[in-house]
């Protein structure tokens, strides 16, 4: 099991490297594909993955991603309002086929998976986006790895015993510190390519610590949903890891944080 998980993790890292370096439409549509699979996995939890409501969610995700590149919708709120109205149309005229919870789940799925994950692409499109985009995975997956190692070595105090009994406070601290240290090392190595000052390296290190902390919230959020619906994994797409949401749960939360903090604090 560990060997399978390790090999899958290596493949994921290689794919992330290739896609981020390539960027442009390749990264856009690959992130869209990952988002749609993740939405499908989430909708399957609510047993609506093949419904008309879910189809509207997939279409809205496609329109949203295409608009990121070609900007044919001047105000993105138009898309969200149209999406909500269409959901209401289906809900009303198909009544009582769908429950109000189904409508809320579809709307939630679009934001939770597709829109938040899109910030991987949006970071890549920033001025220093090639290097900043790697921070998303460095902070989320790096935090996860450091937290696991520290937790295994010295973890004693349970962080969330009912939700995730294996996670410890010591592991969480190790994950946050690990994210910060990995980012500081990464930025120091690529400081010339990123054109970073010492102050900016310090700022990015703090951003990484914040992102690492929030990445754990993303991990626990996905776990909470699984526990609510009594499922072990969201899928079996990634051997040893589960589904897209099982592996990208922390990335979903980390990407928007790094995007906005880097956008406003790294000039």
């Amino acid at each position: 099991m560990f060997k399978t998980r390790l090999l899958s993790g290596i493949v994921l890292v290689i794919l992330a490297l290739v896609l981020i370096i390539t960027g442009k439409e390749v990264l856009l549509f690959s992130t869209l594909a990952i988002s749609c699979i993740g939405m499908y996995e989430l909708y399957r939890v609510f047993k609506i993955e093949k419904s008309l409501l879910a189809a509207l969610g997939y279409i809205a995700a496609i329109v949203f991603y295409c608009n990121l590149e070609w900007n044919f919708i001047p105000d993105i709120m138009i898309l969200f309002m149209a999406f909500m109205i269409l959901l209401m149309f289906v809900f009303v005229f198909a009544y009582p086929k769908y429950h109000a919870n189904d409508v809320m789940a579809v709307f939630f799925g679009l934001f939770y998976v597709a829109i938040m994950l899109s910030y991987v692409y949006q970071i890549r499109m920033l001025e220093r986006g090639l290097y900043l985009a790697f921070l998303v995975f460095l902070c989320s997956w790096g935090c996860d790895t450091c937290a696991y190692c520290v937790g295994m070595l010295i973890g004693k105090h349970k962080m969330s015993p009912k939700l995730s009994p294996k996670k410890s406070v010591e592991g969480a601290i190790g994950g946050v510190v690990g994210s910060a240290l990995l980012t500081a090392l990464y930025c120091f190595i690529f400081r010339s390519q990123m054109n970073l000052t010492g102050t900016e390296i310090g700022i990015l290190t703090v951003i990484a610590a914040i992102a690492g902390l929030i990445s754990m919230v993303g991990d626990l959020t996905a776990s909470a949903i699984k526990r609510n619906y009594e499922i072990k994994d969201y899928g079996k797409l990634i051997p040893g890891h589960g589904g897209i949401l099982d592996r990208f749960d922390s990335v979903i939360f980390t990407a928007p944080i790094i995007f906005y903090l880097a956008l406003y604090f790294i000039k």
Side-chain angles (χ1 to χ4, degrees):
M1 181 65 177
F2 175 76
K3 186 180 292 186
T4 302
R5 186 178 177 86
L6 178 63
L7 289 174
S8 295
I10 293 172
V11 171
L12 285 173
V13 170
I14 293 172
L15 284 174
L17 286 169
V18 172
L19 292 174
I20 290 174
I21 291 172
T22 304
K24 298 183 180 180
E25 286 85 357
V26 173
L27 179 61
L28 176 74
F29 288 114
S30 60
T31 309
L32 170 59
I34 292 170
S35 296
C36 286
I37 295 171
M39 290 171 67
Y40 180 87
E41 291 176 350
L42 184 64
Y43 291 160
R44 185 167 53 196
V45 173
F46 302 110
K47 304 186 188 312
I48 54 172
E49 73 278 10
K50 295 180 181 179
S51 67
L52 180 56
L53 288 175
L56 291 175
Y58 306 138
I59 293 171
I62 293 170
V63 174
F64 175 78
Y65 272 81
C66 291
N67 189 68
L68 288 176
E69 178 68 20
W70 293 288
N71 198 29
F72 50 85
I73 301 177
D75 185 350
I76 199 61
M77 284 303 298
I78 295 173
L79 171 62
F80 299 147
M81 295 298 285
F83 179 48
M84 176 59 77
I85 291 170
L86 286 174
L87 289 178
M88 292 300 105
F89 262 93
V90 174
F91 176 54
V92 169
F93 291 107
Y95 191 85
K97 182 176 181 180
Y98 300 111
H99 192 276
N101 289 342
D102 298 332
V103 177
M104 290 184 279
V106 171
F107 200 79
F108 168 71
L110 175 69
F111 276 82
Y112 173 57
V113 183
I115 293 178
M116 292 181 74
L117 198 56
S118 75
Y119 282 94
V120 172
Y121 172 77
Q122 294 189 60
I123 290 172
R124 180 64 177 85
M125 298 308 292
L126 295 176
E127 184 179 348
R128 287 176 274 191
L130 172 61
Y131 296 95
L132 290 173
F134 288 122
L135 289 182
V136 175
F137 300 95
L138 193 64
C139 290
S140 54
W141 293 348
C143 177
D144 185 43
T145 302
C146 291
Y148 174 80
C149 293
V150 173
M152 288 291 290
L153 290 172
I154 60 172
K156 293 181 179 179
H157 301 87
K158 302 298 182 184
M159 183 172 67
S160 182
K162 290 186 177 180
L163 180 56
S164 188
K166 292 184 179 181
K167 287 182 170 60
S168 65
V169 174
E170 293 84 357
I173 295 172
V176 172
V177 173
S179 293
L181 292 177
L182 286 171
T183 297
L185 178 62
Y186 171 81
C187 291
F188 180 77
I189 292 172
F190 294 102
R191 63 190 184 282
S192 298
Q193 293 88 336
M194 297 175 72
N195 192 27
L196 292 174
T197 63
T199 301
E200 288 177 323
I201 292 177
I203 291 173
L204 282 172
T205 301
V206 173
I207 289 175
I210 296 171
L213 180 62
I214 293 176
S215 75
M216 288 185 280
V217 177
D219 184 17
L220 291 171
T221 297
S223 296
I225 295 173
K226 287 191 288 187
R227 286 198 177 268
N228 278 166
Y229 288 88
E230 299 180 343
I231 61 172
K232 185 180 183 298
D233 294 316
Y234 284 101
K236 299 179 180 179
L237 183 63
I238 307 172
H241 294 271
I244 288 295
L245 292 182
D246 294 296
R247 184 64 278 184
F248 286 83
D249 48 7
S250 56
V251 174
I252 286 171
F253 273 62
T254 306
I257 297 302
I258 290 180
F259 175 82
Y260 285 111
L261 291 179
L263 181 66
Y264 290 112
F265 291 102
I266 302 296
K267 303 299 182 183

